[in-house]
Amino acid sequence: MHRRSTRKLLSDAIQLLLHHHLKPRKSIEECKQIHAKLIRSNQTPLQIHIFNILLNFYSQCNDLCSARRVFDQMPHKNVVSWTSLISSYALHGFLRTSVALFTEMLESTVKPNTHTFSFMIHECTTSCLSVLGIQIHCLVIKFGFEKDEFLGSALVDFYLKVWNNMDEAFRVFDGLWRRDRVTWNVLISGLADVSDVGEVLRLFREMRVADELRPNDYTLTSLLKCCSLIIEVDQIHGLAMKYGMESDVVVGSGLVDMYGKCGKLDTGRKVFDSMEVKDIFSWSSIIASYVRNGSPEQAVTLFLHMCRQGVKPDQHVLSSVLRACAEAGNLESGIQVHAQMIKNAYQADCFVGSALMSIYANAKELGSVEKLFRRIENKDIVAWNCILMCYAQKEELATFYSISLFRELCQTSTVRPDMATLVALIASCQSVLDLAVGIQIHGLIMKRRVGCETSIGNAVIIMYSNCGSIIDAYKAFDDIVNKDEISWSSIIGSHLQNGFELEAVNICKEMLAEGIYLTSFSLPLCIAASAKLAAIDLGKQFHSFFVKLGLEGDTFVGSSIVDMYAKCGNVEASQKAFKELQEPNVVSFNTMISGFARQGNAAKAIELYGEMEKMGIVPNGVTFLALLSGCSHMGLVENSLAFFNIMCQKYNIEPEPEHFACLVDVLGRAGRLEEAYCIIENDGSVLAWKTLLSACRNYENTKLAEKCATKVMQLDPTDHSSYVLLSNLYSREGKWKEASKLRQKLVNVGGKKNLGSSWLM
DNA sequence: TTAGGGTTAG
């Protein structure tokens, strides 16, 4: 072929490259045509150049086989041909083939140049090939390329990222012929990654003074990573404005992120709004900022806005917005984001999966949590801890599930349990039945010598308290080296939970003597202890702490004061404390309604319920229990029936045994025994049947009493009271035979009448 | 040929 036609082929190949993005499918065909002509052509130096263009072209079109064919068909190959194919294989994920080809090249007549070595070192960095990187560095020295600035930048990056070896990185850096902005940026970025702020600032100054180089967007990004104070972020922001990089998508996103982390959400938002180009990083940064700064609703709104703009969510933004849904307690949005997660195929992602798990865990959807956990591919310790915390909240067999999963973690995963794992594991022990397991887990904690750690020790205190072992709880408290306010409130709470109110108050005094202040956690516990002891003077002292500590805005603590006064019998003081609550919630209302009910003032209780409804506060099961108990004490049958219906029908609340018992009590006292029987016929509990049974005794309705007693005996055969009650009824009616039979039956099932006792004896 | 940013629990 003539020289002219080769030139034509070259111009065709260049045209091909230029127009490829316009008509990709057509250009592959054109490429094949040029390729065919080229094979038939004579050899000219230009030919290698055209072959190289075609090789790169096929590679860009993801047709590696054709790229390889071009390479194999080349009569002569140069360094560009070799380097192109080596990089093509690596970029398409065929790292071994790429390295094999590099080795083959070393044995060929064509020698690698600085481009080839730069690429290979870069590959060693991204794929973390630590030993191969050093071997290639030796070759670089052998070939005399070590002073090259391009290759040097790649080597500095390699030593910092793969080996974390600053000395070697500096050695390469100092030996370079000249340093450009990239070389400086590589070094600064590597040091910023290990948070060597002093060194980063020194280099930043030196770069500007010694080499007279202006910082660019990469430099500012590294500097931003080192910021820990708002003033530093402001300074970088100033530099970005000075050099016109404020609206650069990467620098801008970095600023948005850092302002969010420093709590200056508004400034971050201004930067975000000023950015002309926003990518998924920018959206992710601003959304995470809203979550971090306590505005989860706005984070969710922004996420929806982002989706509407056609930006495809990725795993980062999904996990941020899921955290927002969790914090806003918004299960519905969580489900919507779950749909986006499935749509964008992030089900196997550990971060997204864990964030979603906590949403379903809060909603008590344990089955969904389990499914999500199983779908995560590379589970990290956070994912494991998340499901363990979830199992710890199970109502039944929590220890069984938790221990099985912990065993699975230890036996099947390379992930190592951490402190949070042990905390989650021990939190699964919730009752005296779990004490044996709890002791074993505590043994594991002792073996690892982490019992003295505050977070673990606090969890151990709570475990022993839940399992009823207060002495061990105190020992665990004693073992903690640095007791925090949670340690103190846990041990105070433990004593209160196990009926040691006086000791709880004494420990509180000890805490105050140690110079630890009462907090919104420990104070309500002490107030509750005063209430239990009916010690109003003590309660008043704690009330004064409430004022002194400025906790008046805390509804939780405020409600405990309302409860304390009511339980101590001073309803007026209770009412006053209730009126002083700044933002009463359902708990506060329940406390006050219970206070009135306990006092026998059903009218006031009902009136307060009306106020609560007017304020738009939704009542719960506890509210209705208080109302029913108030009405039942006063014999208000119709009111009781009305509240029971409102609860079930208007608020869709499933009645608990206590609700039934109250209703049966009031009906029973009014002699409406059959009516009570009808209500509990299908779903009554032992408590309701026992209540009805005693009503039957009062009205001497032996027929119905027999039915009730049979039910109680079925539900709890060891309960003595049903046998005794019925037997007394039989005796009263002169049915001595039946009475005696029943007493014998009681002896047979092993039931024993509890002996009475009196505080006065 | 070489350099950069955002995410999960307690």
Side-chain angles (χ1 to χ4, degrees), chain A residues 440-495:
Chain A
Q440 283 189 39
I441 305 169
H442 191 199
L444 190 72
I445 288 168
M446 300 296 273
K447 210 169 134 191
R448 293 193 176 203
R449 296 166 196 248
V450 286
C452 52
E453 296 284 343
T454 316
S455 63
I456 303 251
N458 294 346
V460 176
I461 296 175
I462 293 167
M463 180 276 286
Y464 278 123
S465 172
N466 287 340
C467 298
S469 185
I470 193 69
I471 295 173
D472 290 312
Y474 196 83
K475 274 188 202 156
F477 170 75
D478 220 24
D479 284 344
I480 301 173
V481 177
N482 298 310
K483 298 175 181 63
D484 64 3
E485 54 181 59
I486 301 172
S487 323
W488 284 98
S489 45
S490 299
I491 195 65
I492 293 171
S494 302
H495 282 84

Short mmCIF file of all heavy atoms in Angstrom, two decimals, chain A residues 440-495:
data_model
loop_
_atom_site.label_atom_id
_atom_site.label_comp_id
_atom_site.label_asym_id
_atom_site.label_seq_id
_atom_site.Cartn_x
_atom_site.Cartn_y
_atom_site.Cartn_z
N GLN A 440 -22.60 -16.38 82.61
CA GLN A 440 -21.62 -16.91 81.63
C GLN A 440 -21.05 -15.79 80.76
O GLN A 440 -19.85 -15.73 80.52
CB GLN A 440 -22.30 -17.94 80.73
CG GLN A 440 -22.49 -19.27 81.41
CD GLN A 440 -22.97 -20.31 80.41
OE1 GLN A 440 -22.53 -20.33 79.28
NE2 GLN A 440 -23.87 -21.16 80.85
N ILE A 441 -21.96 -14.91 80.31
CA ILE A 441 -21.48 -13.80 79.48
C ILE A 441 -20.57 -12.88 80.30
O ILE A 441 -19.55 -12.40 79.82
CB ILE A 441 -22.65 -13.00 78.86
CG1 ILE A 441 -23.58 -13.92 78.09
CG2 ILE A 441 -22.14 -11.90 77.94
CD1 ILE A 441 -24.89 -13.29 77.67
N HIS A 442 -20.96 -12.68 81.56
CA HIS A 442 -20.11 -11.87 82.43
C HIS A 442 -18.73 -12.52 82.57
O HIS A 442 -17.71 -11.84 82.60
CB HIS A 442 -20.79 -11.70 83.81
CG HIS A 442 -20.12 -10.68 84.67
ND1 HIS A 442 -20.31 -10.63 86.03
CD2 HIS A 442 -19.26 -9.67 84.38
CE1 HIS A 442 -19.57 -9.64 86.53
NE2 HIS A 442 -18.94 -9.04 85.55
N GLY A 443 -18.73 -13.87 82.62
CA GLY A 443 -17.46 -14.60 82.69
C GLY A 443 -16.58 -14.29 81.48
O GLY A 443 -15.37 -14.05 81.60
N LEU A 444 -17.23 -14.27 80.31
CA LEU A 444 -16.52 -13.95 79.06
C LEU A 444 -15.94 -12.54 79.12
O LEU A 444 -14.79 -12.29 78.71
CB LEU A 444 -17.54 -14.05 77.91
CG LEU A 444 -17.03 -14.01 76.50
CD1 LEU A 444 -16.33 -15.32 76.18
CD2 LEU A 444 -18.19 -13.81 75.53
N ILE A 445 -16.73 -11.64 79.69
CA ILE A 445 -16.29 -10.24 79.82
C ILE A 445 -15.09 -10.15 80.76
O ILE A 445 -14.12 -9.46 80.48
CB ILE A 445 -17.47 -9.37 80.33
CG1 ILE A 445 -18.50 -9.21 79.20
CG2 ILE A 445 -17.01 -8.02 80.83
CD1 ILE A 445 -19.82 -8.62 79.62
N MET A 446 -15.15 -10.92 81.87
CA MET A 446 -14.06 -10.90 82.83
C MET A 446 -12.79 -11.48 82.19
O MET A 446 -11.69 -10.98 82.40
CB MET A 446 -14.41 -11.73 84.07
CG MET A 446 -15.64 -11.24 84.82
SD MET A 446 -15.41 -9.61 85.50
CE MET A 446 -14.69 -10.05 87.05
N LYS A 447 -13.00 -12.56 81.38
CA LYS A 447 -11.86 -13.22 80.73
C LYS A 447 -11.14 -12.23 79.81
O LYS A 447 -9.92 -12.25 79.68
CB LYS A 447 -12.40 -14.41 79.92
CG LYS A 447 -11.42 -15.54 79.79
CD LYS A 447 -12.13 -16.75 79.22
CE LYS A 447 -11.35 -17.38 78.12
NZ LYS A 447 -12.13 -18.39 77.41
N ARG A 448 -11.92 -11.39 79.16
CA ARG A 448 -11.33 -10.40 78.27
C ARG A 448 -10.87 -9.16 79.02
O ARG A 448 -10.45 -8.17 78.40
CB ARG A 448 -12.35 -9.99 77.21
CG ARG A 448 -12.70 -11.11 76.27
CD ARG A 448 -13.44 -10.57 75.09
NE ARG A 448 -13.71 -11.63 74.14
CZ ARG A 448 -13.95 -11.44 72.88
NH1 ARG A 448 -13.95 -10.22 72.40
NH2 ARG A 448 -14.18 -12.45 72.07
N ARG A 449 -11.05 -9.18 80.32
CA ARG A 449 -10.65 -8.06 81.19
C ARG A 449 -11.23 -6.73 80.75
O ARG A 449 -10.55 -5.70 80.71
CB ARG A 449 -9.12 -7.94 81.25
CG ARG A 449 -8.49 -9.15 81.88
CD ARG A 449 -7.00 -9.13 81.60
NE ARG A 449 -6.44 -10.45 81.87
CZ ARG A 449 -5.61 -10.71 82.86
NH1 ARG A 449 -5.23 -9.76 83.64
NH2 ARG A 449 -5.14 -11.93 83.04
N VAL A 450 -12.51 -6.74 80.37
CA VAL A 450 -13.13 -5.48 79.95
C VAL A 450 -14.29 -5.08 80.87
O VAL A 450 -14.99 -4.12 80.59
CB VAL A 450 -13.61 -5.52 78.47
CG1 VAL A 450 -12.45 -5.43 77.52
CG2 VAL A 450 -14.45 -6.75 78.19
N GLY A 451 -14.44 -5.84 81.98
CA GLY A 451 -15.52 -5.53 82.93
C GLY A 451 -15.36 -4.15 83.55
O GLY A 451 -16.32 -3.54 83.98
N CYS A 452 -14.09 -3.67 83.59
CA CYS A 452 -13.84 -2.37 84.20
C CYS A 452 -14.17 -1.22 83.25
O CYS A 452 -14.20 -0.06 83.64
CB CYS A 452 -12.39 -2.30 84.64
SG CYS A 452 -11.27 -2.71 83.32
N GLU A 453 -14.40 -1.55 81.97
CA GLU A 453 -14.74 -0.51 80.99
C GLU A 453 -16.14 0.03 81.29
O GLU A 453 -17.06 -0.75 81.56
CB GLU A 453 -14.75 -1.09 79.56
CG GLU A 453 -13.41 -1.58 79.09
CD GLU A 453 -12.48 -0.44 78.71
OE1 GLU A 453 -12.97 0.68 78.50
OE2 GLU A 453 -11.26 -0.69 78.63
N THR A 454 -16.29 1.33 81.19
CA THR A 454 -17.56 1.95 81.60
C THR A 454 -18.78 1.38 80.86
O THR A 454 -19.75 0.97 81.51
CB THR A 454 -17.47 3.48 81.40
OG1 THR A 454 -16.20 3.89 81.90
CG2 THR A 454 -18.56 4.19 82.15
N SER A 455 -18.73 1.36 79.50
CA SER A 455 -19.94 0.95 78.77
C SER A 455 -20.31 -0.50 79.08
O SER A 455 -21.49 -0.83 79.23
CB SER A 455 -19.73 1.13 77.27
OG SER A 455 -18.69 0.29 76.83
N ILE A 456 -19.29 -1.37 79.22
CA ILE A 456 -19.56 -2.78 79.50
C ILE A 456 -20.09 -2.92 80.92
O ILE A 456 -21.09 -3.59 81.17
CB ILE A 456 -18.27 -3.61 79.34
CG1 ILE A 456 -17.69 -3.45 77.95
CG2 ILE A 456 -18.49 -5.07 79.72
CD1 ILE A 456 -17.79 -4.59 77.04
N GLY A 457 -19.39 -2.27 81.87
CA GLY A 457 -19.80 -2.34 83.27
C GLY A 457 -21.24 -1.88 83.46
O GLY A 457 -22.03 -2.53 84.16
N ASN A 458 -21.61 -0.79 82.78
CA ASN A 458 -22.99 -0.29 82.89
C ASN A 458 -23.99 -1.34 82.42
O ASN A 458 -25.04 -1.53 83.04
CB ASN A 458 -23.15 0.99 82.05
CG ASN A 458 -22.33 2.15 82.60
OD1 ASN A 458 -21.85 2.08 83.72
ND2 ASN A 458 -22.19 3.18 81.81
N ALA A 459 -23.64 -2.03 81.32
CA ALA A 459 -24.55 -3.06 80.79
C ALA A 459 -24.65 -4.23 81.77
O ALA A 459 -25.73 -4.82 81.92
CB ALA A 459 -24.05 -3.54 79.43
N VAL A 460 -23.53 -4.56 82.42
CA VAL A 460 -23.54 -5.68 83.39
C VAL A 460 -24.42 -5.33 84.59
O VAL A 460 -25.19 -6.16 85.07
CB VAL A 460 -22.10 -6.04 83.83
CG1 VAL A 460 -22.12 -7.12 84.90
CG2 VAL A 460 -21.26 -6.50 82.64
N ILE A 461 -24.34 -4.07 85.05
CA ILE A 461 -25.19 -3.63 86.18
C ILE A 461 -26.65 -3.88 85.83
O ILE A 461 -27.41 -4.49 86.58
CB ILE A 461 -25.00 -2.12 86.47
CG1 ILE A 461 -23.58 -1.81 86.92
CG2 ILE A 461 -26.01 -1.64 87.52
CD1 ILE A 461 -23.30 -0.32 87.09
N ILE A 462 -27.04 -3.41 84.63
CA ILE A 462 -28.44 -3.51 84.22
C ILE A 462 -28.86 -4.99 84.10
O ILE A 462 -29.95 -5.37 84.51
CB ILE A 462 -28.67 -2.72 82.92
CG1 ILE A 462 -28.49 -1.23 83.21
CG2 ILE A 462 -30.07 -2.99 82.33
CD1 ILE A 462 -28.37 -0.35 82.00
N MET A 463 -27.93 -5.82 83.58
CA MET A 463 -28.24 -7.25 83.44
C MET A 463 -28.54 -7.87 84.82
O MET A 463 -29.58 -8.50 85.01
CB MET A 463 -27.08 -7.98 82.76
CG MET A 463 -27.26 -9.45 82.55
SD MET A 463 -26.83 -10.48 83.99
CE MET A 463 -25.05 -10.41 83.97
N TYR A 464 -27.64 -7.65 85.78
CA TYR A 464 -27.85 -8.27 87.10
C TYR A 464 -29.12 -7.72 87.75
O TYR A 464 -29.83 -8.43 88.44
CB TYR A 464 -26.63 -8.06 88.00
CG TYR A 464 -25.54 -9.08 87.72
CD1 TYR A 464 -24.25 -8.70 87.37
CD2 TYR A 464 -25.82 -10.46 87.81
CE1 TYR A 464 -23.25 -9.64 87.12
CE2 TYR A 464 -24.83 -11.41 87.54
CZ TYR A 464 -23.56 -10.99 87.20
OH TYR A 464 -22.59 -11.93 86.95
N SER A 465 -29.38 -6.45 87.52
CA SER A 465 -30.59 -5.86 88.09
C SER A 465 -31.84 -6.52 87.49
O SER A 465 -32.74 -6.92 88.21
CB SER A 465 -30.59 -4.36 87.81
OG SER A 465 -31.81 -3.81 88.18
N ASN A 466 -31.86 -6.65 86.15
CA ASN A 466 -33.01 -7.29 85.49
C ASN A 466 -33.17 -8.74 85.95
O ASN A 466 -34.28 -9.26 85.97
CB ASN A 466 -32.85 -7.26 83.97
CG ASN A 466 -33.07 -5.87 83.41
OD1 ASN A 466 -33.68 -5.03 84.05
ND2 ASN A 466 -32.54 -5.62 82.22
N CYS A 467 -32.05 -9.39 86.26
CA CYS A 467 -32.10 -10.79 86.69
C CYS A 467 -32.30 -10.89 88.20
O CYS A 467 -32.21 -11.98 88.77
CB CYS A 467 -30.84 -11.53 86.27
SG CYS A 467 -30.63 -11.59 84.49
N GLY A 468 -32.49 -9.76 88.87
CA GLY A 468 -32.82 -9.76 90.30
C GLY A 468 -31.64 -9.98 91.23
O GLY A 468 -31.83 -10.30 92.40
N SER A 469 -30.43 -9.85 90.72
CA SER A 469 -29.27 -10.12 91.57
C SER A 469 -28.57 -8.80 91.92
O SER A 469 -27.58 -8.42 91.31
CB SER A 469 -28.33 -11.07 90.83
OG SER A 469 -27.28 -11.43 91.67
N ILE A 470 -29.10 -8.12 92.93
CA ILE A 470 -28.65 -6.77 93.22
C ILE A 470 -27.22 -6.73 93.78
O ILE A 470 -26.47 -5.78 93.53
CB ILE A 470 -29.67 -6.07 94.16
CG1 ILE A 470 -29.42 -4.57 94.24
CG2 ILE A 470 -29.71 -6.68 95.55
CD1 ILE A 470 -29.72 -3.83 92.98
N ILE A 471 -26.82 -7.80 94.49
CA ILE A 471 -25.46 -7.80 95.06
C ILE A 471 -24.43 -7.83 93.93
O ILE A 471 -23.44 -7.10 93.93
CB ILE A 471 -25.27 -9.00 96.03
CG1 ILE A 471 -26.21 -8.78 97.23
CG2 ILE A 471 -23.82 -9.13 96.49
CD1 ILE A 471 -26.29 -9.95 98.19
N ASP A 472 -24.70 -8.68 92.91
CA ASP A 472 -23.78 -8.75 91.76
C ASP A 472 -23.78 -7.44 90.97
O ASP A 472 -22.76 -7.04 90.43
CB ASP A 472 -24.17 -9.92 90.86
CG ASP A 472 -23.87 -11.25 91.53
OD1 ASP A 472 -22.76 -11.40 92.05
OD2 ASP A 472 -24.76 -12.12 91.55
N ALA A 473 -24.97 -6.82 90.91
CA ALA A 473 -25.05 -5.52 90.21
C ALA A 473 -24.12 -4.53 90.90
O ALA A 473 -23.38 -3.80 90.24
CB ALA A 473 -26.49 -5.01 90.22
N TYR A 474 -24.14 -4.54 92.22
CA TYR A 474 -23.30 -3.59 92.95
C TYR A 474 -21.81 -3.91 92.74
O TYR A 474 -20.98 -3.01 92.59
CB TYR A 474 -23.64 -3.56 94.45
CG TYR A 474 -23.04 -2.32 95.08
CD1 TYR A 474 -23.69 -1.10 95.01
CD2 TYR A 474 -21.77 -2.38 95.68
CE1 TYR A 474 -23.11 0.05 95.52
CE2 TYR A 474 -21.19 -1.22 96.18
CZ TYR A 474 -21.87 -0.02 96.11
OH TYR A 474 -21.28 1.12 96.60
N LYS A 475 -21.50 -5.22 92.70
CA LYS A 475 -20.08 -5.61 92.47
C LYS A 475 -19.62 -5.10 91.12
O LYS A 475 -18.50 -4.60 90.97
CB LYS A 475 -19.96 -7.14 92.52
CG LYS A 475 -19.79 -7.69 93.92
CD LYS A 475 -19.49 -9.18 93.82
CE LYS A 475 -19.83 -9.89 95.10
NZ LYS A 475 -20.11 -11.30 94.90
N ALA A 476 -20.50 -5.25 90.11
CA ALA A 476 -20.16 -4.79 88.75
C ALA A 476 -19.94 -3.28 88.76
O ALA A 476 -19.02 -2.76 88.12
CB ALA A 476 -21.27 -5.16 87.78
N PHE A 477 -20.78 -2.58 89.52
CA PHE A 477 -20.66 -1.12 89.64
C PHE A 477 -19.31 -0.76 90.27
O PHE A 477 -18.60 0.13 89.80
CB PHE A 477 -21.82 -0.60 90.50
CG PHE A 477 -21.70 0.84 90.90
CD1 PHE A 477 -21.94 1.86 89.98
CD2 PHE A 477 -21.35 1.20 92.21
CE1 PHE A 477 -21.85 3.19 90.35
CE2 PHE A 477 -21.26 2.54 92.58
CZ PHE A 477 -21.49 3.53 91.65
N ASP A 478 -18.95 -1.53 91.29
CA ASP A 478 -17.70 -1.30 92.00
C ASP A 478 -16.48 -1.53 91.10
O ASP A 478 -15.46 -0.88 91.25
CB ASP A 478 -17.66 -2.28 93.19
CG ASP A 478 -17.09 -1.61 94.42
OD1 ASP A 478 -17.17 -0.37 94.48
OD2 ASP A 478 -16.58 -2.32 95.30
N ASP A 479 -16.63 -2.47 90.15
CA ASP A 479 -15.51 -2.82 89.26
C ASP A 479 -15.19 -1.74 88.22
O ASP A 479 -14.11 -1.73 87.64
CB ASP A 479 -15.83 -4.12 88.49
CG ASP A 479 -15.67 -5.34 89.38
OD1 ASP A 479 -15.05 -5.21 90.44
OD2 ASP A 479 -16.20 -6.42 89.00
N ILE A 480 -16.15 -0.88 87.94
CA ILE A 480 -15.95 0.12 86.87
C ILE A 480 -14.90 1.15 87.34
O ILE A 480 -15.03 1.73 88.42
CB ILE A 480 -17.27 0.83 86.51
CG1 ILE A 480 -18.30 -0.19 86.03
CG2 ILE A 480 -17.05 1.90 85.45
CD1 ILE A 480 -19.69 0.38 85.81
N VAL A 481 -13.88 1.33 86.53
CA VAL A 481 -12.80 2.24 86.92
C VAL A 481 -13.27 3.70 86.83
O VAL A 481 -13.14 4.45 87.79
CB VAL A 481 -11.54 2.02 86.02
CG1 VAL A 481 -10.44 3.02 86.39
CG2 VAL A 481 -11.04 0.60 86.18
N ASN A 482 -13.81 4.08 85.68
CA ASN A 482 -14.31 5.44 85.53
C ASN A 482 -15.83 5.42 85.47
O ASN A 482 -16.41 5.20 84.41
CB ASN A 482 -13.76 6.09 84.26
CG ASN A 482 -12.25 6.20 84.31
OD1 ASN A 482 -11.68 6.68 85.29
ND2 ASN A 482 -11.60 5.70 83.27
N LYS A 483 -16.45 5.64 86.64
CA LYS A 483 -17.92 5.59 86.69
C LYS A 483 -18.48 6.88 86.10
O LYS A 483 -18.08 7.97 86.52
CB LYS A 483 -18.38 5.45 88.14
CG LYS A 483 -17.92 4.16 88.79
CD LYS A 483 -18.30 4.15 90.25
CE LYS A 483 -17.85 2.90 90.97
NZ LYS A 483 -16.39 2.71 91.02
N ASP A 484 -19.36 6.74 85.12
CA ASP A 484 -19.98 7.95 84.57
C ASP A 484 -21.39 8.09 85.13
O ASP A 484 -21.82 7.30 85.96
CB ASP A 484 -19.96 7.94 83.02
CG ASP A 484 -20.79 6.81 82.43
OD1 ASP A 484 -21.42 6.06 83.21
OD2 ASP A 484 -20.80 6.67 81.20
N GLU A 485 -22.10 9.11 84.65
CA GLU A 485 -23.43 9.35 85.21
C GLU A 485 -24.37 8.17 84.91
O GLU A 485 -25.30 7.92 85.69
CB GLU A 485 -24.01 10.66 84.69
CG GLU A 485 -24.02 10.73 83.17
CD GLU A 485 -24.57 12.04 82.67
OE1 GLU A 485 -24.00 13.07 83.02
OE2 GLU A 485 -25.55 12.01 81.92
N ILE A 486 -24.08 7.45 83.81
CA ILE A 486 -24.94 6.30 83.49
C ILE A 486 -24.69 5.18 84.50
O ILE A 486 -25.62 4.49 84.93
CB ILE A 486 -24.72 5.82 82.04
CG1 ILE A 486 -25.05 6.97 81.08
CG2 ILE A 486 -25.57 4.59 81.71
CD1 ILE A 486 -24.71 6.73 79.64
N SER A 487 -23.40 5.00 84.91
CA SER A 487 -23.10 3.98 85.92
C SER A 487 -23.88 4.26 87.19
O SER A 487 -24.49 3.37 87.78
CB SER A 487 -21.61 3.96 86.27
OG SER A 487 -20.80 4.20 85.16
N TRP A 488 -23.85 5.54 87.62
CA TRP A 488 -24.54 5.91 88.86
C TRP A 488 -26.05 5.74 88.71
O TRP A 488 -26.70 5.14 89.55
CB TRP A 488 -24.20 7.36 89.26
CG TRP A 488 -22.82 7.48 89.87
CD1 TRP A 488 -21.68 7.87 89.23
CD2 TRP A 488 -22.44 7.18 91.22
NE1 TRP A 488 -20.61 7.85 90.09
CE2 TRP A 488 -21.04 7.44 91.33
CE3 TRP A 488 -23.11 6.74 92.35
CZ2 TRP A 488 -20.33 7.27 92.50
CZ3 TRP A 488 -22.40 6.57 93.54
CH2 TRP A 488 -21.03 6.83 93.60
N SER A 489 -26.61 6.24 87.60
CA SER A 489 -28.07 6.13 87.49
C SER A 489 -28.47 4.67 87.32
O SER A 489 -29.55 4.28 87.79
CB SER A 489 -28.64 7.03 86.40
OG SER A 489 -27.91 6.94 85.25
N SER A 490 -27.60 3.85 86.69
CA SER A 490 -27.93 2.43 86.55
C SER A 490 -28.00 1.74 87.92
O SER A 490 -28.91 0.95 88.18
CB SER A 490 -26.90 1.70 85.69
OG SER A 490 -26.87 2.26 84.42
N ILE A 491 -27.04 2.04 88.77
CA ILE A 491 -27.02 1.34 90.07
C ILE A 491 -28.14 1.87 90.97
O ILE A 491 -28.76 1.10 91.72
CB ILE A 491 -25.62 1.41 90.75
CG1 ILE A 491 -25.53 0.39 91.90
CG2 ILE A 491 -25.26 2.79 91.25
CD1 ILE A 491 -25.61 -1.05 91.47
N ILE A 492 -28.47 3.14 90.85
CA ILE A 492 -29.62 3.69 91.61
C ILE A 492 -30.90 3.02 91.10
O ILE A 492 -31.71 2.51 91.88
CB ILE A 492 -29.70 5.23 91.46
CG1 ILE A 492 -28.50 5.89 92.14
CG2 ILE A 492 -31.01 5.76 92.05
CD1 ILE A 492 -28.36 7.38 91.88
N GLY A 493 -31.04 2.96 89.76
CA GLY A 493 -32.22 2.34 89.14
C GLY A 493 -32.33 0.87 89.51
O GLY A 493 -33.43 0.36 89.73
N SER A 494 -31.19 0.17 89.61
CA SER A 494 -31.19 -1.25 89.95
C SER A 494 -31.79 -1.47 91.34
O SER A 494 -32.59 -2.38 91.54
CB SER A 494 -29.77 -1.81 89.98
OG SER A 494 -29.17 -1.62 88.74
N HIS A 495 -31.38 -0.63 92.27
CA HIS A 495 -31.92 -0.76 93.63
C HIS A 495 -33.41 -0.48 93.66
O HIS A 495 -34.18 -1.17 94.32
CB HIS A 495 -31.14 0.13 94.61
CG HIS A 495 -29.81 -0.46 94.99
ND1 HIS A 495 -28.69 -0.31 94.22
CD2 HIS A 495 -29.46 -1.27 96.02
CE1 HIS A 495 -27.69 -0.98 94.78
NE2 HIS A 495 -28.13 -1.58 95.87
#
